Amino acid sequence: AAKLGKRNFLLLGEDSTGVDSELAPHLAGGGVDTVYNYPEFRRANYALRGAAPTRAIEDSLKTSRSVLGDAAASRLVRFIDLHDVYRFLLSDTPIELLKVGLAYVMTSLGIPLVYAGTEQAFRQLHGRLDPEGGDLPADPDNRADQFAGAFQPSVPTPGDAYDQEAPGYRFMRALADLRKAYPALRRGEQYARWSDPN
């Protein structure tokens, strides 16, 4: 990157731990600028789908901040799905929950990541809310091809699946515009004003 003249290059690391403290060494001179926020993903996953109280999201944010500190917590990469976990939309997940998940990613503390195909409502045909594992791995079903081309996973995507008029894409674009318009959504603090313990 430096040889190409790129001086503002973000180096992203991956540690799929569910333990916040195990991310700390990577963020404190570990050779990367940031890492995926797997601990918060694991804790918030059920609540974002209505399978756990929203208090879990508030508690997760508190845990992350108390263990890592505000500065480190604010530069973690937040996601609802990616290349190594089940897609947010499982085969039976109501499509309306996609807006909840995208809003959480785009307006919460940290660097937002939207995995290719999520905005097009790609689904995990075989998955569960429990973490992915050897008995039911996330890939290759979570790596469906978004564009027509040579790569074909186990569930091929016919043709070009990049639709800028798709509801998920349009909603994500509106959230991206909102985030760009309001610096507080990019660099501000985040406070939970209320969450449901039930």
Side-chain angles (χ1 to χ4, degrees):
K3 288 179 182 178
L4 294 173
K6 296 184 182 295
R7 306 289 176 215
N8 191 17
F9 188 79
L10 183 77
L11 190 57
L12 169 62
E14 181 174 19
D15 185 334
S16 60
T17 180
V19 181
D20 297 86
S21 61
E22 292 178 7
L23 298 181
H26 304 300
L27 299 169
V32 296
D33 299 309
T34 185
V35 292
Y36 295 112
N37 196 343
Y38 271 97
E40 280 216 75
F41 162 75
R42 304 266 188 227
R43 292 187 296 251
N45 191 26
Y46 289 86
L48 289 172
R49 299 160 188 276
T54 54
R55 181 64 49 86
I57 297 172
E58 178 181 356
D59 291 345
S60 180
L61 180 62
K62 287 179 181 176
T63 299
S64 182
R65 285 175 148 171
S66 68
V67 173
L68 299 171
D70 285 346
S74 69
R75 69 179 217 254
L76 293 171
V77 173
R78 179 178 301 284
F79 61 94
I80 55 172
D81 58 9
L82 47 63
H83 61 283
D84 279 337
V85 301
Y86 300 132
R87 285 201 173 270
F88 182 77
L89 291 177
L90 303 178
S91 58
D92 59 349
T93 306
I95 190 71
E96 293 80 12
L97 286 182
L98 182 59
K99 286 186 175 183
V100 173
L102 289 172
Y104 170 74
V105 166
M106 296 299 292
T107 63
S108 294
L109 187 70
I111 302 168
L113 177 141
V114 178
Y115 181 45
T118 296
E119 82 290 351
Q120 300 295 335
F122 280 19
R123 290 181 178 271
Q124 186 82 28
L125 298 182
H126 305 287
R128 59 188 181 201
L129 292 183
D130 293 332
E132 63 292 335
D135 58 329
L136 196 58
D139 58 2
D141 291 345
N142 66 346
R143 301 183 185 207
D145 200 356
Q146 193 166 4
F147 301 97
F151 174 70
Q152 290 295 332
S154 60
V155 182
T157 303
D160 191 335
Y162 183 73
D163 180 4
Q164 294 186 37
E165 296 304 314
Y169 180 95
R170 289 174 37 214
F171 185 71
M172 186 197 70
R173 180 58 193 252
L175 290 170
D177 290 344
L178 183 71
R179 185 178 176 90
K180 184 176 181 181
Y182 294 95
L185 290 176
R186 300 188 307 274
R187 301 279 187 258
E189 296 291 329
Q190 180 173 341
Y191 302 97
R193 298 300 184 197
W194 182 84
S195 63
D196 190 342
N198 299 311

